[in-house]
Amino acid sequence: MVEILMCGCSGKMGRMIADIVEKDSEAKITAGIDKYVAKDLLFPVYSDIASFTEAFKKGEVKADVIVDFSNPSLTDELINCSVECNLPLVFCTTGATSQQIEHLKDASSKVAVMRSANMSLGVNLIERLVKEAAEILCVNGFDPEIVEKHHKLKVDAPSGTALELAKSVNEGLSEPYEYVFDRSSRREQRLVKEIGISAVRGGSIVGEHEVIFAGLDEVIEIKHTAYSKAVFAKGAIAAAKFLKDKKPGFYSMKDVLF
């Protein structure tokens, strides 16, 4: 049994995780942190991190792992809480600065920290498949292209997952290829050593990532489609179970899978 502190518990992802955990005999949410203290949740909710830290030290609340789906404005304080309370941290918040990522890495020398661009088990699996495919196909003249699709409210492009997939392509190559995000200003044929990355935004698309290896007279496609955010919630719960009692270190979802 893993006991979870859910940071961002009143948001969509926090509530989805709570619903899934309620049916999971191996996990339990014992407390939450959110500036909006919802009254309908089945566990105590603290309006700030300092209040939880004080309660935890007094033994008023228990937790084995922190799962964070909150806001980058809380990241530094939450990392400090993780270290101070000796609680492993599953960091799922997007939009963290490079300084905050460094803070996470520094903290990982004291507690177990997990961060992945995408918490989906399927996405992390195809990252491995993409690396292996690139290793074989690109040396045989196949051109790698990545197309990602998300809902119209997503503000960043390309997605972090698309960049991770591009990184996986390069990990399979002896020399890194250049990322090309926009060809509208380039009136020239496609270069051999490039990875085209395209973003589509519209409607309520949860998330779709496709890696295309285009060769002479044949095309190979590796694709992942998320039909609901539940895939990210399930991944976060799997990560929490994995991280409990782990030694200090900087982990990813690949450690959970492989």
Side-chain angles (χ1 to χ4, degrees):
M1 167 72 73
V2 59
E3 296 183 318
I4 297 170
L5 165 66
M6 184 69 235
C7 189
C9 59
S10 299
K12 289 181 180 178
M13 285 303 302
R15 287 178 175 276
M16 188 171 287
I17 289 173
D19 288 342
I20 294 172
V21 165
E22 197 175 344
K23 303 175 183 69
D24 189 334
S25 61
E26 298 179 354
K28 179 182 180 181
I29 297 180
T30 52
I33 297 174
D34 204 298
K35 63 180 180 181
Y36 172 65
V37 182
K39 303 297 183 184
D40 59 330
L41 295 172
L42 303 177
F43 45 83
V45 179
Y46 296 85
S47 60
D48 58 82
I49 294 169
S51 298
F52 166 80
T53 303
E54 185 179 351
F56 182 84
K57 287 182 173 181
K58 289 180 179 178
E60 296 172 358
V61 62
K62 294 169 62 183
D64 297 315
V65 179
I66 302 170
V67 174
D68 177 43
F69 269 102
S70 59
N71 186 286
S73 64
L74 300 176
T75 293
D76 290 307
E77 190 180 356
L78 188 65
I79 295 170
N80 293 337
C81 168
S82 170
V83 172
E84 195 173 341
C85 297
N86 194 30
L87 289 174
L89 172 61
V90 179
F91 184 76
C92 309
T93 292
T94 58
T97 65
S98 57
Q99 289 87 352
Q100 288 172 327
I101 301 304
E102 286 304 312
H103 192 182
L104 275 173
K105 290 179 179 178
D106 289 342
S108 71
S109 65
K110 303 179 182 69
V111 294
V113 174
M114 177 177 290
R115 176 180 180 264
S116 284
N118 191 308
M119 297 305 293
S120 159
L121 299 175
V123 163
N124 283 275
L125 174 60
I126 72 165
E127 285 180 12
R128 179 167 175 170
L129 298 177
V130 163
K131 176 185 175 183
E132 293 176 358
E135 204 171 318
I136 298 167
L137 298 174
C138 291
V139 294
N140 286 290
F142 283 73
D143 299 318
E145 292 280 316
I146 297 170
V147 180
E148 58 96 345
K149 303 175 184 177
H150 284 87
H151 53 86
K152 63 184 179 183
L153 300 179
K154 186 172 178 63
V155 295
D156 58 316
S159 68
T161 300
L163 294 174
E164 284 298 312
L165 288 167
K167 180 181 174 183
S168 296
V169 171
N170 270 335
E171 286 174 352
L173 305 176
S174 56
E175 293 181 40
Y177 281 17
E178 174 193 1
Y179 297 174
V180 176
F181 301 103
D182 180 17
R183 290 196 176 89
S184 63
S185 60
R186 300 172 58 172
R187 292 187 59 82
E188 59 184 33
Q189 70 179 36
R190 186 189 197 283
L191 301 177
V192 173
K193 294 184 177 181
E194 70 179 44
I195 304 171
I197 305 175
S198 304
V200 175
R201 296 289 175 268
S204 58
I205 302 169
V206 174
E208 186 177 299
H209 294 86
E210 183 176 18
V211 183
I212 301 164
F213 291 96
L216 184 62
D217 299 326
E218 60 181 330
V219 175
I220 296 170
E221 299 173 355
I222 301 175
K223 182 178 178 181
H224 178 272
T225 302
Y227 291 102
S228 97
K229 290 185 177 182
V231 298
F232 312 126
K234 291 173 183 176
I237 296 165
K241 292 175 181 177
F242 171 85
L243 217 60
K244 179 186 176 183
D245 299 327
K246 280 287 183 294
K247 293 179 180 178
F250 200 71
Y251 299 88
S252 75
M253 285 299 291
K254 292 178 182 62
D255 295 302
V256 178
L257 283 173
F258 312 120

